Amino acid sequence: MSKSASTPTIGVFDSGFGGLTVLRELLPLVAGAHYIYLGDTARLPYGSKSRETIVRYAVSSARFLQQQGAELLVVACNTATALALDDLREALPIPVVGVIEPGAEAAAGACAAEQVAGQAQGEASDSLSQVLVLATQATVGSLAYTRACAALGLRATEKACPLLVPLVEEGWIVDSESESAEDAARASVTAQVLRIYLNEALHAAPHSRALLLGCTHYPLLRPEIERTLAELGRPLRVIDSARATARAVAKILSLKQAAKLGTSAVSDEATCEFFATDSVQKFERLGSRFLGRPVEGVRLVDLGG
Ligand code: DGL
C-alpha cells in the first residue's frame, strides 16, 4: 500500500467492477504506479441516468480520487466518458483520460485489419468500414462513439444493452471454477439475454467488421459474447478499449517524465488501494475474480446521493 514520493499516483473510477478491466491492463503496462480505484457501486448504474446526474456522480467520484492523491485520472467508464469528460477536465487540475477515443482507435485498427483480410480473399472494399458498438443507454444516446468513430473514417452502429451491467454486477457470468448448478443456471440467463441483444444488433448492422465493447463491464462477458457470435454465424472480432486506454496513460506518463508526475521509472511492482460506495464484502469477493488478483482491504466511502 505504501508508495515512494516519486511514484505516480493514478486514480481509476467506474460505477462498479467494470473499470477493473481497465486496471487489469494498466497494472502490467504502467507497473510502477500507485493505483487508487473507486467503484461507485451505491449509485450504479450510471448508464440509465440523465446527463446531469452522470456529471454530478462523475465529478464527485473524481474529486474524491484527487483528494486521495491522484495526479492523473482514468475514467474507466464509457458512460462517464461519453457524458462528462469535458466537465471532468474543467473540474480537475490533473490530466483526465477517458476510454472512448482509445476505444474508437482500437476499433479503427481492427476494422482496417479485417478490411485488408477481406480484400485478400477477393471481397469488394466498401468506402466506409462499419463497427458495431454495444454500450449503455446513456452512452448510445450521447452518440459519443458515432462521433469518435466518424472522425476516424468509421461508421458506428450503436446498440444499447441495459440488462448487461446489472447481470455482471451480480456475478451472473460463467465461473470456470464453480461446479454449482445454481451458478450455471444464472450464467445461462445472461447467455439468453446476450443472444437477444446480439441478434438485434446484427440485424441492424449486417455489414459490421468488428464488435466494440463500449462499456467497461462487457469484457467480463467476452467469452460468452464470442461464443454467441459464433453460434449466430457471425464470428466478428471483439475489441475493447482497456488496452488502448492503458497505452494512452503510459504515453502521458512518459511525456510527463520531467514534471513531478511520472518521475519514477515505471519498473517496480504496482500497488493498489480500493474504495467502494456500497458493500465492500461484495466488492472484494467479485472484484478479485474480475481483476485476476486479490482485491483486499476495500474501504467504504460515502459520496452522498
Ligand atoms: N462500466 C460503465 C461503462 O463503461 C457503465 C456501467 C453503468 O451503467 O453504471 O459505461
Side-chain angles (χ1 to χ4, degrees):
M1 218 63 91
S2 67
K3 72 182 255 327
S4 78
S6 61
T7 303
T9 297
I10 301 178
V12 181
F13 95 91
D14 179 43
S15 55
F17 299 118
L20 293 175
T21 59
V22 178
L23 182 58
R24 199 169 54 197
E25 294 294 337
L26 279 162
L27 288 174
L29 203 65
V30 188
H34 177 65
Y35 292 94
I36 313 175
Y37 184 95
L38 170 66
D40 192 8
T41 41
R43 303 190 290 192
L44 169 137
Y46 282 15
S48 56
K49 308 273 185 330
S50 66
R51 190 188 109 77
E52 290 69 26
T53 302
I54 293 165
V55 169
R56 186 157 52 85
Y57 290 176
V59 169
S60 70
S61 298
R63 285 215 171 105
F64 169 77
L65 288 171
Q66 199 210 337
Q67 282 157 11
Q68 297 302 309
E71 300 157 281
L72 182 148
L73 178 74
V74 181
V75 188
C77 172
N78 289 264
T79 309
T81 304
L83 282 300
L85 190 64
D86 291 344
D87 301 82
L88 287 166
R89 288 190 168 144
E90 222 165 86
L92 297 188
I94 57 175
V96 179
V97 180
V99 284
I100 293 210
E101 254 181 54
E105 279 162 21
C111 287
E114 291 297 317
Q115 194 160 15
V116 170
Q119 281 164 9
Q121 287 170 11
E123 209 181 83
S125 81
D126 39 18
S127 50
L128 207 57
S129 227
Q130 293 192 31
V131 63
L132 187 55
V133 183
L134 306 187
T136 66
Q137 193 74 60
T139 300
V140 170
S142 76
L143 296 178
Y145 268 111
T146 297
R147 280 193 296 273
C149 288
L152 299 168
L154 204 59
R155 189 188 309 145
T157 301
E158 301 191 55
K159 165 77 181 160
C161 306
L163 293 177
L164 297 185
V165 168
L167 288 167
V168 170
E169 286 287 325
E170 286 306 312
W172 285 33
I173 65 177
V174 173
D175 180 355
S176 49
E177 280 168 27
S178 169
E179 287 174 5
S180 115
E182 285 81 10
D183 284 347
R186 291 187 188 106
S188 78
V189 169
T190 305
Q192 284 179 47
V193 171
L194 258 179
R195 196 181 176 88
I196 293 169
Y197 282 145
L198 287 172
N199 225 338
E200 290 172 355
L202 291 168
H203 269 98
H207 304 296
S208 302
R209 291 191 180 275
L211 177 76
L212 173 62
L213 305 179
C215 171
T216 53
H217 281 72
Y218 300 172
L220 300 163
L221 297 167
R222 181 192 282 264
E224 290 93 321
I225 291 173
E226 287 173 338
R227 199 184 39 247
T228 308
L229 286 171
E231 282 168 12
L232 294 171
R234 296 295 312 283
L236 295 178
R237 192 195 288 210
V238 178
I239 40 191
D240 66 63
S241 56
R243 189 156 308 163
T245 303
R247 277 199 298 266
V249 172
K251 199 166 154 197
I252 290 183
L253 286 175
S254 68
L255 290 176
K256 296 257 173 194
Q257 251 167 15
K260 179 178 170 285
L261 171 59
T263 43
S264 67
V266 283
S267 56
D268 317 328
E269 178 75 4
T271 52
C272 300
E273 278 176 88
F274 298 95
F275 293 90
T277 56
D278 196 13
S279 170
V280 295
Q281 291 79 7
K282 186 176 172 192
F283 200 91
E284 287 179 358
R285 188 168 40 86
L286 287 175
S288 304
R289 193 168 137 197
F290 295 153
L291 189 62
R293 68 189 239 174
V295 171
E296 291 162 340
V298 179
R299 280 176 279 168
L300 185 65
V301 55
D302 182 359
L303 296 180

